[in-house]
Amino acid sequence: VQLQASGGGLVQAGGSLRLSCVALGRTFSNYAMGWFRQAPGKEREFVAAISSSGGVTYYASSVKGRFTISRDNAKNTVYLQMNSLKSEDTAVYYCAAGLVTGAQQEMYDYWGQGTQVTVSS
């Protein structure tokens, strides 16, 4: 599976962005999808995950209530809607695909190239 993330950019605190990740290659609907992020000088961390059918979602506590993960299997695309953005959300955001839905990076076999999100305060 090849993953192509997009939608990052510069936004003011309190604003919104929607990230997209398109999957090419294998059957997208077979895979759970996750979003992770890595801020400068920090480890990559879990943000959100969604099961292959879209029926189960998980969120990091730091984004719960502000971010929403969703998917459109007909378009081979997973989204991350980010609202009420804070400066601490600034990071490179990565999408990932795996056969198990969860928060651990080891669960994911395929990774996208990342898209930069910068939130100015």
Side-chain angles (χ1 to χ4, degrees):
V1 178
Q2 290 184 328
L3 303 174
Q4 297 178 350
S6 62
L10 175 64
V11 63
Q12 289 188 333
S16 298
L17 279 176
R18 188 176 80 156
L19 305 183
S20 300
C21 175
V22 177
L24 306 175
R26 296 176 186 260
T27 305
F28 177 72
S29 59
N30 288 346
Y31 290 89
M33 299 297 296
W35 285 97
F36 293 80
R37 67 186 182 186
Q38 187 168 20
K42 294 188 176 182
E43 298 288 323
R44 188 161 59 185
E45 65 176 6
F46 169 74
V47 175
I50 188 167
S51 63
S52 57
S53 67
V56 177
T57 56
Y58 298 112
Y59 294 93
S61 57
S62 59
V63 307
K64 198 167 188 178
R66 300 188 297 122
F67 291 11
T68 302
I69 189 170
S70 62
R71 66 189 295 159
D72 185 340
N73 285 347
K75 295 183 178 180
N76 287 3
T77 303
V78 62
Y79 304 98
L80 185 68
Q81 178 66 44
M82 305 186 295
N83 299 329
S84 302
L85 283 162
K86 306 175 181 179
S87 57
E88 51 263 43
D89 295 318
T90 294
V92 177
Y93 283 71
Y94 299 90
C95 58
L99 295 178
V100 180
T101 311
Q104 297 179 347
Q105 298 182 49
E106 295 74 18
M107 293 177 171
Y108 295 88
D109 301 309
Y110 304 97
W111 292 81
Q113 83 287 3
T115 184
Q116 176 70 48
V117 172
T118 303
V119 183
S120 63
S121 56

